[in-house]
Amino acid sequence: MSQLKKLQFTARKLFKPKTVSYAGLLTLWTGAPSLPQDICKALYKECHQHLEHQLATATLSRGNRVLEIGAGIGLISLVCARICGPDAVLSYEANPKMADIIRRNFELNGMIANLRNKAVATQSGEISFYFNDNVVSSSIIDRGFGGATTVACDGFA
């Protein structure tokens, strides 16, 4: 990490801004009460989903269509929407706590999220969704990390 990046991270950590510029391309909301601290810290460092960001940038172009299952905070969906166009990206996120964050991140970047706040399963209906504060461990599989809720799901066979 360069000295400038270290200084930027320290300032962000100290002042806790409500939004941050990410990779000079996006503005992301870091002020959400439900945003896990580890994700907030990674956003301050501009390293959250860095490899996924690089992959999307290296492989996608306008005209491609993207389906993201498990959008988290919407970072990769935003990167894809910048490249392919917002109408070419469909995002799924089952965690109800993340939907507002995703929508807000899109709004901050002048776009409307094409978001389905649902899980994806083999059949449509409802399914148990198990969540963890770190978001990454949230799943339709109970890993014993935390609470559970019931969410709607779209079926893909």
Side-chain angles (χ1 to χ4, degrees), residues 6-122:
K6 286 180 186 178
L7 182 60
Q8 181 183 41
F9 169 67
T10 302
R12 287 175 171 178
K13 194 172 168 185
L14 180 65
F15 295 110
K16 298 182 181 357
K18 300 290 184 196
T19 62
V20 295
S21 172
Y22 191 90
L25 301 171
L26 302 170
T27 301
L28 298 170
W29 186 33
T30 56
S34 58
L35 186 68
Q37 285 304 305
D38 60 332
I39 292 177
C40 193
K41 184 177 176 181
L43 291 173
Y44 287 168
K45 286 184 175 181
E46 295 187 42
C47 66
H48 182 62
Q49 295 186 310
H50 180 70
L51 294 176
E52 293 90 337
H53 181 187
Q54 285 182 324
L55 179 63
T57 302
T59 59
L60 293 175
S61 60
R62 187 150 301 273
N64 291 150
R65 298 186 54 79
V66 176
L67 170 64
E68 183 178 19
I69 300 174
I73 65 166
L75 172 61
I76 299 306
S77 291
L78 274 166
V79 170
C80 295
R82 279 271 191 246
I83 297 167
C84 303
D87 293 339
V89 179
L90 174 59
S91 307
Y92 274 86
E93 177 51 58
N95 189 333
K97 291 181 178 182
M98 295 294 105
D100 288 339
I101 295 172
I102 294 167
R103 287 187 186 99
R104 179 80 179 268
N105 281 334
F106 268 79
E107 287 171 13
L108 286 169
N109 291 280
M111 294 183 265
I112 297 171
N114 187 3
L115 172 66
R116 294 190 183 162
N117 194 198
K118 297 179 174 184
V120 174
T122 56

Side-chain angles (χ1 to χ4, degrees), residues 127-157:
I127 195 165
S128 293
F129 180 75
Y130 305 91
F131 52 90
N132 185 306
D133 287 342
N134 74 7
V135 181
V136 177
S137 296
S138 298
S139 176
I140 60 172
I141 300 167
D142 185 2
R143 298 180 185 151
F145 290 127
T149 190
T150 300
V151 298
C153 64
D154 283 344
F156 285 91

